[in-house]
Amino acid sequence: MVHQAPERIQPHSLGDYLEVMSKAVFQSGISWKVVDAKWPGIREAFQGFDAEAIAGFTPDDVDRLTGDSRVIRNRRKLEAIIENARQMLDLEEQHGSFRDYLRSHGGFEGTVADLRRRFRFLGELGAYYFLWVVNEEVPSYDDWCASRGRTPHAVAR
């Protein structure tokens, strides 16, 4: 099966970073096609991924989301996105911008390690996907797979 390489973006706001990371969170263990099909509703339910608004979500908001058929109603993932928004806001404040935070680790492996430590539901593939989409420097997909002993899926570029 040939997978389509995700489109890269040039993030203009913290919300852009949060949206990409949230997609990686939802894609963990779920068909990417399912996530893509639900994405417009997820985006709407999460207020366009306004990081400050999401960081202010309460347990009542999580309850509302778990009852919303537009979203993937995995409570742990919904809570993770809220916590990830809070973490992003903290890192943006500490580093001046989220982009500066991403570039403060001296390279790809350090960035991945710190992302995985700080953000919930972000595994190795999710971190690679996130960095690729937000247009950070990453090794080629084949090299990344080889460095982890994984067999690459065929990717249409």
Side-chain angles (χ1 to χ4, degrees):
M1 170 183 256
V2 175
H3 296 278
Q4 188 67 25
E7 186 175 328
R8 298 184 101 171
I9 67 165
Q10 192 62 43
H12 296 289
S13 69
L14 194 58
D16 292 340
Y17 287 106
L18 181 60
E19 182 170 3
V20 174
M21 184 179 287
S22 298
K23 197 168 207 181
V25 165
F26 279 123
Q27 288 171 338
S28 175
I30 297 177
S31 163
W32 289 33
K33 285 184 180 183
V34 170
V35 175
D36 283 342
K38 284 195 165 269
W39 201 250
I42 292 169
R43 193 170 200 294
E44 188 175 312
F46 275 94
Q47 300 178 8
F49 289 95
D50 177 320
E52 287 189 19
I54 293 170
F57 279 14
T58 66
D60 288 341
D61 291 309
V62 176
D63 290 342
R64 175 183 49 78
L65 289 168
T66 60
D68 189 333
S69 63
R70 296 173 300 170
V71 303
I72 295 166
R73 296 175 282 184
N74 179 312
R75 183 176 202 88
R76 290 177 55 222
K77 288 185 178 187
L78 297 170
E79 291 169 341
I81 290 167
I82 296 163
E83 286 302 314
N84 290 348
R86 292 173 182 153
Q87 182 69 252
M88 280 187 172
L89 286 165
D90 288 346
L91 290 167
E92 182 178 63
E93 185 174 322
Q94 291 171 29
H95 292 269
S97 73
F98 194 73
R99 182 180 183 195
D100 286 348
Y101 153 72
L102 289 174
R103 295 181 177 185
S104 69
H105 302 94
F108 173 76
E109 294 298 341
T111 304
V112 168
D114 200 63
L115 285 169
R116 292 190 66 206
R117 184 175 62 81
R118 291 179 186 272
F119 293 97
R120 292 177 52 194
F121 275 95
L122 197 65
E124 283 202 343
L125 181 58
Y128 180 90
Y129 166 88
F130 171 73
L131 292 170
W132 164 266
V133 173
V134 299
N135 216 14
E136 291 296 314
E137 285 191 37
V138 298
S140 75
Y141 179 68
D142 290 341
D143 288 347
W144 178 80
C145 286
S147 73
R148 281 143 174 87
R150 298 173 68 136
T151 302
H153 295 289
V155 177
R157 299 205 197 299

